[in-house]
Amino acid sequence: MSAAPVPEEASSALLEARDLRKTYRARATGRPVAAVDGVSFSVRAGETLALVGESGSGKTTIGRLIARLEAADSGTVRFDGEDWLALGGEALRRKRRDVQVVFQDPQTSLNPRMRVGDQVAEPLRVQRLVRGREVAARVAALFQEVGLDHSASSRFPSEFSGGQRQRIAIARALATRPRLLVCDEPVSALDASIAAQIVNLLVDLQQSLGLAYIFISHDLPVVSRIADRVAVLYLGKIVEEGPAAAVIGRPQHPYTAALLSSVPGETPGAPAPGIRLAGQPAGEGRETRGCPFEPRCPIARPRCREETPPLAETFPGVRAACFYPGELSGPSS
């Protein structure tokens, strides 16, 4: 099966992934499960691409593959024109400074036995970016950058609130002056008011430092605040992709429309609540024939059981893998 086409802007992308795949073995049966199934996307410098979807959609696995925390089974990733997956040894160690990760829960991503200043300084030492007294000065600047006083650097993670710990984790990720941050559900462990502050911090840092983000989230109101583009994932495949305002304002895929309808409160442009999906996502034994969303889709037709819809443009800039795009949010053209 051929890879999904990559939009034209990929040619100027900071990062470009093509036909990325990752399969695991199910613990119970040993059968293969495709966590990431032929995913292609690009991220430009200074841009935020949000990956959204239910638990098990493959979004976190994609983040881990891009960060080289796991190895892809196949596919290519080019970072600034260089073959990112082919790097190893010292070349990979040096290049890692350009791609860093902010994890979901800073309580587990920070070492409880190390002072936070030492944790922020560690990437500087590993990458040999600064030495001696310059380390302390750089750590102080990083704390200031994320809105914390440097005097806190001698304390341990347990002495901070959840929001403060995430600021420390962001400072650590910024230590090497990366060009791309993979943000894996960075605010889902925080209450709403603190989460908003962290999102605002990420927006400010992007503007001041020119960072690109891959922002992994299930929180669509947060995504609408921070993302330039959105890729919606279902069972390891992208089912809709386009500018955030278009995808959130006029979803083309019924799965996207259902995700938006489930959001409590006021999500800009969301369809009316009440779209219900049948059952749960198919498991390891799911059939590959036809549209993978067909068993749960409220607008499925017989064709959907027999053919797999391609990820194709439904209106300028937006692609969706659906034979009947836009039916749950109005006309598609």
Side-chain angles (χ1 to χ4, degrees), residues 267-282:
T267 300
I275 299 174
R276 296 186 178 275
L277 304 180
Q280 298 295 321

PDB file of all heavy atoms in Angstrom, residues 267-282:
ATOM      1  N   THR A 267     -16.523  24.917  23.042  1.00  0.00           N
ATOM      2  CA  THR A 267     -15.377  24.788  22.169  1.00  0.00           C
ATOM      3  C   THR A 267     -15.686  25.552  20.889  1.00  0.00           C
ATOM      4  O   THR A 267     -16.691  25.276  20.241  1.00  0.00           O
ATOM      5  CB  THR A 267     -15.107  23.311  21.813  1.00  0.00           C
ATOM      6  OG1 THR A 267     -14.860  22.600  23.026  1.00  0.00           O
ATOM      7  CG2 THR A 267     -13.902  23.184  20.897  1.00  0.00           C
ATOM      8  N   PRO A 268     -14.844  26.528  20.512  1.00  0.00           N
ATOM      9  CA  PRO A 268     -15.147  27.336  19.331  1.00  0.00           C
ATOM     10  C   PRO A 268     -15.406  26.476  18.099  1.00  0.00           C
ATOM     11  O   PRO A 268     -14.593  25.632  17.738  1.00  0.00           O
ATOM     12  CB  PRO A 268     -13.878  28.177  19.150  1.00  0.00           C
ATOM     13  CG  PRO A 268     -13.281  28.239  20.523  1.00  0.00           C
ATOM     14  CD  PRO A 268     -13.597  26.919  21.172  1.00  0.00           C
ATOM     15  N   GLY A 269     -16.580  26.670  17.493  1.00  0.00           N
ATOM     16  CA  GLY A 269     -16.875  25.994  16.248  1.00  0.00           C
ATOM     17  C   GLY A 269     -17.292  24.551  16.365  1.00  0.00           C
ATOM     18  O   GLY A 269     -17.502  23.877  15.359  1.00  0.00           O
ATOM     19  N   ALA A 270     -17.392  24.014  17.590  1.00  0.00           N
ATOM     20  CA  ALA A 270     -17.724  22.603  17.734  1.00  0.00           C
ATOM     21  C   ALA A 270     -19.158  22.331  17.316  1.00  0.00           C
ATOM     22  O   ALA A 270     -20.029  23.165  17.500  1.00  0.00           O
ATOM     23  CB  ALA A 270     -17.528  22.170  19.191  1.00  0.00           C
ATOM     24  N   PRO A 271     -19.421  21.150  16.748  1.00  0.00           N
ATOM     25  CA  PRO A 271     -20.793  20.804  16.423  1.00  0.00           C
ATOM     26  C   PRO A 271     -21.609  20.589  17.681  1.00  0.00           C
ATOM     27  O   PRO A 271     -21.068  20.469  18.781  1.00  0.00           O
ATOM     28  CB  PRO A 271     -20.635  19.483  15.643  1.00  0.00           C
ATOM     29  CG  PRO A 271     -19.334  18.929  16.093  1.00  0.00           C
ATOM     30  CD  PRO A 271     -18.458  20.105  16.393  1.00  0.00           C
ATOM     31  N   ALA A 272     -22.914  20.551  17.516  1.00  0.00           N
ATOM     32  CA  ALA A 272     -23.783  20.390  18.681  1.00  0.00           C
ATOM     33  C   ALA A 272     -23.509  19.076  19.379  1.00  0.00           C
ATOM     34  O   ALA A 272     -23.208  18.071  18.734  1.00  0.00           O
ATOM     35  CB  ALA A 272     -25.242  20.448  18.240  1.00  0.00           C
ATOM     36  N   PRO A 273     -23.568  19.052  20.736  1.00  0.00           N
ATOM     37  CA  PRO A 273     -23.329  17.817  21.466  1.00  0.00           C
ATOM     38  C   PRO A 273     -24.338  16.749  21.077  1.00  0.00           C
ATOM     39  O   PRO A 273     -25.415  17.028  20.585  1.00  0.00           O
ATOM     40  CB  PRO A 273     -23.512  18.234  22.934  1.00  0.00           C
ATOM     41  CG  PRO A 273     -23.346  19.709  22.942  1.00  0.00           C
ATOM     42  CD  PRO A 273     -23.848  20.184  21.616  1.00  0.00           C
ATOM     43  N   GLY A 274     -23.942  15.513  21.292  1.00  0.00           N
ATOM     44  CA  GLY A 274     -24.890  14.434  21.118  1.00  0.00           C
ATOM     45  C   GLY A 274     -24.510  13.407  20.085  1.00  0.00           C
ATOM     46  O   GLY A 274     -25.266  12.471  19.855  1.00  0.00           O
ATOM     47  N   ILE A 275     -23.352  13.535  19.416  1.00  0.00           N
ATOM     48  CA  ILE A 275     -22.916  12.514  18.467  1.00  0.00           C
ATOM     49  C   ILE A 275     -22.393  11.329  19.251  1.00  0.00           C
ATOM     50  O   ILE A 275     -21.443  11.441  20.014  1.00  0.00           O
ATOM     51  CB  ILE A 275     -21.824  13.059  17.529  1.00  0.00           C
ATOM     52  CG1 ILE A 275     -22.365  14.246  16.728  1.00  0.00           C
ATOM     53  CG2 ILE A 275     -21.325  11.970  16.592  1.00  0.00           C
ATOM     54  CD1 ILE A 275     -21.311  14.929  15.886  1.00  0.00           C
ATOM     55  N   ARG A 276     -23.014  10.207  19.072  1.00  0.00           N
ATOM     56  CA  ARG A 276     -22.642   9.010  19.829  1.00  0.00           C
ATOM     57  C   ARG A 276     -22.043   7.963  18.904  1.00  0.00           C
ATOM     58  O   ARG A 276     -22.544   7.741  17.806  1.00  0.00           O
ATOM     59  CB  ARG A 276     -23.850   8.435  20.564  1.00  0.00           C
ATOM     60  CG  ARG A 276     -24.405   9.385  21.636  1.00  0.00           C
ATOM     61  CD  ARG A 276     -25.507   8.715  22.443  1.00  0.00           C
ATOM     62  NE  ARG A 276     -25.991   9.601  23.482  1.00  0.00           N
ATOM     63  CZ  ARG A 276     -25.436   9.736  24.676  1.00  0.00           C
ATOM     64  NH1 ARG A 276     -24.357   9.020  24.975  1.00  0.00           N
ATOM     65  NH2 ARG A 276     -25.929  10.568  25.565  1.00  0.00           N
ATOM     66  N   LEU A 277     -20.981   7.338  19.368  1.00  0.00           N
ATOM     67  CA  LEU A 277     -20.331   6.296  18.603  1.00  0.00           C
ATOM     68  C   LEU A 277     -20.709   4.938  19.157  1.00  0.00           C
ATOM     69  O   LEU A 277     -20.822   4.769  20.371  1.00  0.00           O
ATOM     70  CB  LEU A 277     -18.810   6.462  18.652  1.00  0.00           C
ATOM     71  CG  LEU A 277     -18.270   7.815  18.187  1.00  0.00           C
ATOM     72  CD1 LEU A 277     -16.756   7.827  18.288  1.00  0.00           C
ATOM     73  CD2 LEU A 277     -18.710   8.106  16.763  1.00  0.00           C
ATOM     74  N   ALA A 278     -20.875   3.987  18.283  1.00  0.00           N
ATOM     75  CA  ALA A 278     -21.224   2.632  18.714  1.00  0.00           C
ATOM     76  C   ALA A 278     -19.977   1.907  19.201  1.00  0.00           C
ATOM     77  O   ALA A 278     -18.943   1.910  18.529  1.00  0.00           O
ATOM     78  CB  ALA A 278     -21.856   1.864  17.553  1.00  0.00           C
ATOM     79  N   GLY A 279     -20.071   1.291  20.385  1.00  0.00           N
ATOM     80  CA  GLY A 279     -19.003   0.439  20.882  1.00  0.00           C
ATOM     81  C   GLY A 279     -17.708   1.162  21.170  1.00  0.00           C
ATOM     82  O   GLY A 279     -17.666   2.363  21.412  1.00  0.00           O
ATOM     83  N   GLN A 280     -16.625   0.391  21.143  1.00  0.00           N
ATOM     84  CA  GLN A 280     -15.291   0.884  21.450  1.00  0.00           C
ATOM     85  C   GLN A 280     -14.392   0.645  20.246  1.00  0.00           C
ATOM     86  O   GLN A 280     -14.729  -0.129  19.346  1.00  0.00           O
ATOM     87  CB  GLN A 280     -14.728   0.149  22.685  1.00  0.00           C
ATOM     88  CG  GLN A 280     -15.531   0.362  23.950  1.00  0.00           C
ATOM     89  CD  GLN A 280     -15.492   1.803  24.413  1.00  0.00           C
ATOM     90  OE1 GLN A 280     -14.471   2.458  24.328  1.00  0.00           O
ATOM     91  NE2 GLN A 280     -16.626   2.296  24.900  1.00  0.00           N
ATOM     92  N   PRO A 281     -13.212   1.302  20.208  1.00  0.00           N
ATOM     93  CA  PRO A 281     -12.287   1.020  19.104  1.00  0.00           C
ATOM     94  C   PRO A 281     -11.975  -0.458  19.017  1.00  0.00           C
ATOM     95  O   PRO A 281     -11.846  -1.144  20.041  1.00  0.00           O
ATOM     96  CB  PRO A 281     -11.033   1.823  19.484  1.00  0.00           C
ATOM     97  CG  PRO A 281     -11.532   2.900  20.378  1.00  0.00           C
ATOM     98  CD  PRO A 281     -12.681   2.302  21.138  1.00  0.00           C
ATOM     99  N   ALA A 282     -11.872  -0.956  17.796  1.00  0.00           N
ATOM    100  CA  ALA A 282     -11.574  -2.377  17.609  1.00  0.00           C
ATOM    101  C   ALA A 282     -10.216  -2.717  18.198  1.00  0.00           C
ATOM    102  O   ALA A 282      -9.310  -1.903  18.220  1.00  0.00           O
ATOM    103  CB  ALA A 282     -11.593  -2.711  16.115  1.00  0.00           C
TER     104      ALA A 282
END
